[in-house]
Every structure is written in C-alpha cells, then in structure tokens.
Amino acid sequence: MSATAYSFSVVLVVFLIIGVSSIRKKHHDVNDYLTAGYSTAPWLIGLSSVATNNSGYMFIGLVGYTWVAGVSAFWIALGWLVGDWLAWRGFHQRLRRYSEDHPVNTIPALTALNPATASSPLRVVSAVITLLFLAVYAAAQLKAGSKALHVMFSWPEWLGAMLGALVVVLYSFAGGIRASIWTDVAQSFVMLFGMVALFVAGLLAVGWPWQLGAALTAVDPALTRWTPDGLLFGLVPFVLGWVAAGLGAIGQPHILVRTIALRSPEDVPAARRVYFAWYLPFAVLTVTVGLYARVLLDGSLIDPEMTLPLMAQQFLPEVLTGIVLAAIFAATLSTADSMLLSCSAAISQDLIPRFGQSYVRTKLGTLAVTLVVLAIALAAPANVFTLVVFAWSSLGGTLGPVILLRIVHAPLNRPTAMAMMAASMVTLITWQALGYSESIYELLPTLLVAFLVYGLMFPFQRKEA
C-alpha cells in the first residue's frame, strides 16, 4: 500500500470510529436520531454546521471555478460569507426560539402554521421539495468525492461514490445526527489542515500573493481582473447575487436542523463565533489555493474540478496527499450524511407520518434514500458546482421565505405560502433558461419574487394555514 493510500485509509477509519462511538450516547427514539435530543453544545454545532456547509462545493466546485475565473472568484466567496453572516445574525437564534415553542424534528414541519399537524398539505409539499433537491445536493457530494478518488487512485467514479455512500450509512445508522455532528467536527479539522497544506505548497512553488499575481498575469491577464467577463448587469448585482446565496442558508434543512439541535437559543452566538472563526480563513484559503493551482497546473487540466486532487498529487509528499484526499472526501461526507438524514426525516415524519415514531423505519428510510442518491450520483452528467448551486437556490428560494415568515410570526396562510413557492420555482427556472445566472445568481431574483408575491397577497391573509 502506498503512503497516500495508507494515510487516506487511516483518516477514514478514524472518522468511522468517531461516528460509530456516538452509539454510546444515543437513545433509541426518533427525536434522538434526528435532532440529538436538542442537547448539543454550541462549539460542536458551530464546527458541524461549517463543515456541512463547506462541502464538495468548496473543495471541488469553487476551486475549479477559481481555476477558470481567476481572482474574481473572491467575490463569490465574500458574497456567500456575508450573506451567511446576515443569516446567523438575524435568523438562527429566532429559529431556535421558535423550536422551543414548536418542538419539531424536521424542517418541512416549520413551514406549516401548526408544526404538529403532520397531514398539512403545505408540510407535505415542503417535504417533497426537501426530498427532491436534497437528494440532488447529496448526489453532488458523492460525485465530488468520487472525482477525487478517481484522480488519486484511478478508481472508476462509481466506486468512489459507492464507498462514500457506504461510509455515510455505517455511521449514520450507528448514531443518527449525533454521529453526523461528531464526525463533522473531526472532518472540519482535517479539511482546514488539507487546505493549509495546499496553500503552503503553492506558496513554496510560486511565492507570496504579489508574486502569485504576476504569475497569473503571465498565464492570462484576464485572470487578474476583478470583474468577471460578460456580466450583463455589472459587478454590484453580481456580488449581491452571491450575498443572496449566503442568505439561502435559511432554506437548507441539513443546516437548520443543527441549529435546532442546540441546547438553547442562548447558545447561538457562541456557535456563530466558532462557525466564522473557521469559515473566514477557509474561504480565503480555498480561492487562493485555486489561484496557485491555476499557475502550477496551467494547460494540464481537462476537468477544472480535478484541480485540487491533482495539485495535491503533484506538489505534496505522499502522506500529506493522502490526508488532503481524506479532507476532500470528508468535505463530501460531512454534507452528504446530513442531507440523507434530512431526506429520511422528510419521508418518515412528513410524507408517511404513520411511520414517524418508528425508530427502525426511520433508519430504513435513511438506507432507501441513500440508494436513490447513489443512483443519481452515478447517472448525473452535470458538474459538482452546477448541481450544488441549483439545489441550494431551489431550497433557499422555496422553503427559505416561508420558514422566515413563520419564525417571525408574520401572518401567512396556505394559499400565499404555496403561491410563494411556485413563483420562486418558476423564477429560478426562467432565470436559468434566459442565461442570466452567470451575471446574477438566481437566488436573488427568486427571493425578491417570493417576497413580492407575499406583499401582493398580504391583504388577503386568513387565519387558517
């Protein structure tokens, strides 16, 4: 066994041991499986949330985008970070307070006026949206991990996707979301270490950032332009689109369920500080590493999404290469496991509520969803970046506004909520079809339309949901 395979295997086994060890803390009931009994410490939630959010999209998608776009990729990272910060400042604590008065173990339940009403049509529609788009999102994570393994070990991509699905099922079955949170924490450290190692490799090979700028200019002067080419509406709307992307966290079930799993609403600020203490340096490092890779791998890439694993393979010692590979794989697993659990919750708690209190059936739902997601990952032709941003905008644009209005106790009846979701989906698809997404990320017009519909229908609100 090569040093790369050895170090990768060791780190992967450590993740499995951590996840399986959570079995010591679990209780055999559905709430513990899906929300860890609402008892998780803030530092755990902070690291788990940031590992879940910064997934294969960062390691595979954003680095690949940076390789193509150059320094303008910083706007995506900055805009997303600002939007995410606004959501943490104004939304997450209110969400946790709302969950004190309305105990829930799924996010679709938050869209109903009475979360305890399992048969609410609005809750069912929200569950279908959750299941559909989280499945696509999770498939993108398995696809990202399989790409990394393909580069490093020349494995067929289907084998990497199957390995990822197997690992996730093993520790999710062991401890549910608690296993997911515990492994996320370990994965967050490995992810940050991997990115730092690649940054150091780039620094040693190319030089300091001002030297990197000169090297990028030598490759292609367009790579050093801060305004991306072809923007139809200018730079400011482009950046605002990615701020809206960060705000889209308000509609992501796999992230929101972690806030609900906190011990109390007062723990949210502590979780937020941990979250951004990790997120800010990681975001900067991710784009910077992508720029170093553009210089070091110029002309040697067929697929830009292979940038990070190829850079590790060519410029790091074998042991560190294995750890970086484990970091990439960890990034995909930390998101995929959360999504699979949220999907299985949507099935067992929202779509088929008679199964809701069956611990065994809920776990079987996780297995069934995993198989479906694996099939999507094996069949999907799109790249990771495309799959992730589409799923993120779909969830953020449809569920996000409705959940936000619920937790601030704004009047919202069922017809209005349904109209908001439908208008959001139509806007998203139309915006993409018109080719405007490259100029303004589609979540910005989607959110604007959702709240416009709410404003127009506000005078007609009724009490019932």
Side-chain angles (χ1 to χ4, degrees), residues 308-327:
L308 213 62
L310 275 174
M311 183 177 174
Q313 191 176 49
Q314 294 185 26
F315 295 95
L316 288 177
E318 284 194 354
V319 171
L320 289 181
T321 299
I323 294 175
V324 169
L325 176 59

Side-chain angles (χ1 to χ4, degrees), residues 406-460:
R406 289 294 188 218
I407 69 165
V408 299
H409 303 285
L412 177 65
N413 61 24
R414 185 193 306 158
T416 301
M418 292 286 198
M420 290 171 65
M421 289 181 174
S424 295
M425 204 65 236
V426 170
T427 302
L428 190 157
I429 293 171
T430 303
W431 196 260
Q432 285 199 335
L434 292 173
Y436 293 157
S437 295
E438 295 296 320
S439 298
I440 300 179
Y441 179 53
E442 59 263 19
L443 190 50
L444 179 58
T446 298
L447 291 174
L448 292 176
V449 167
F451 287 110
L452 175 62
V453 169
Y454 178 71
L456 293 173
M457 298 184 70
F458 183 81
F460 309 105

Side-chain angles (χ1 to χ4, degrees), residues 19-20 22-37 105 169-179 341 344-345 347-349 352-367:
V20 173
S22 67
I23 199 170
R24 297 180 296 108
K25 294 284 186 179
K26 78 171 183 178
H27 304 283
H28 292 275
D29 64 75
V30 173
N31 281 335
D32 188 78
Y33 184 72
L34 298 178
T35 63
N105 50 28
V169 166
L170 286 175
Y171 66 69
S172 294
F173 259 49
I177 197 169
R178 183 177 289 106
L341 287 168
S344 66
I347 293 173
S348 64
Q349 308 296 299
I352 314 176
R354 65 179 181 274
F355 290 172
Q357 295 309 309
S358 171
Y359 179 69
V360 173
R361 286 172 175 170
T362 300
K363 294 179 77 170
L364 289 176
T366 303
L367 178 59

Side-chain angles (χ1 to χ4, degrees), residues 133 385-394 425 428 432 441-442:
F133 292 110
F385 190 84
T386 300
L387 286 173
V388 167
V389 296
F390 178 74
W392 181 277
S393 57
S394 300
M425 204 65 236
L428 190 157
Q432 285 199 335
Y441 179 53
E442 59 263 19

